[in-house]
Amino acid sequence: MGQAVRQKVLVVEDEPEVRSLAATLIEETDLQVVELGSADAALAFLEHHADEVVMVFTDVGLPGKSDGVDLTLACAARWPHIRVLVTSGRVRLPNAGLPKTARFIPKPWRALDILVAAEKAAAH
């Protein structure tokens, strides 16, 4: 019997310290973390590995063609099994305006909020 593939969480954040902090938190769970610096990189990863991903934790403001909102909408449209947690220190997104697979939390976020979201995504 083959080894079960560990469920993955994408942490998409262009600030390395913030990305590393979120990744370290999520690694406390049984989930595997993939750290990416842009929505474009996340979308490229999802093209090949979406079936392994249970959650995307993304900042809104990201470099490149796509931002965190674009990534959130793409996940909802193409990979609705993936839960998305969107964060920003600059803009506030109303949860009512997001797909039902996504939720917004403002920066600075609390470690517990991230862990709870990751656990929920893994159990889903």
Side-chain angles (χ1 to χ4, degrees):
M1 204 102 95
Q3 176 82 18
V5 175
R6 279 177 68 198
Q7 295 175 308
K8 293 178 176 59
V9 173
L10 302 190
V11 175
V12 189
E13 166 66 67
D14 58 332
E15 292 176 48
E17 309 80 40
V18 179
R19 185 172 66 230
S20 178
L21 176 63
T24 302
L25 278 169
I26 295 166
E27 282 166 352
E28 295 298 312
T29 68
D30 289 336
L31 298 162
Q32 185 178 0
V33 177
V34 178
E35 296 182 50
L36 298 162
S38 71
D40 298 330
L43 289 166
F45 182 89
L46 287 167
E47 287 293 338
H48 302 285
H49 304 283
D51 56 335
E52 300 165 24
V53 177
V54 293
M55 185 174 113
V56 173
F57 178 41
T58 183
D59 193 9
V60 170
L62 294 166
K65 285 194 321 240
S66 307
D67 66 11
V69 174
D70 297 326
L71 177 57
T72 301
L73 296 174
C75 285
R78 298 183 59 193
W79 307 290
H81 70 280
I82 298 175
R83 300 276 158 260
V84 183
L85 196 57
V86 191
T87 188
S88 177
R90 290 186 283 284
V91 298
R92 294 187 80 88
L93 298 175
N95 278 310
L98 291 172
K100 65 179 186 303
T101 54
R103 193 164 82 76
F104 177 80
I105 59 168
K107 281 184 179 175
W109 35 259
R110 295 187 344 221
L112 185 64
D113 291 337
I114 307 306
L115 282 172
V116 167
E119 293 283 4
K120 274 189 184 160
H124 186 73

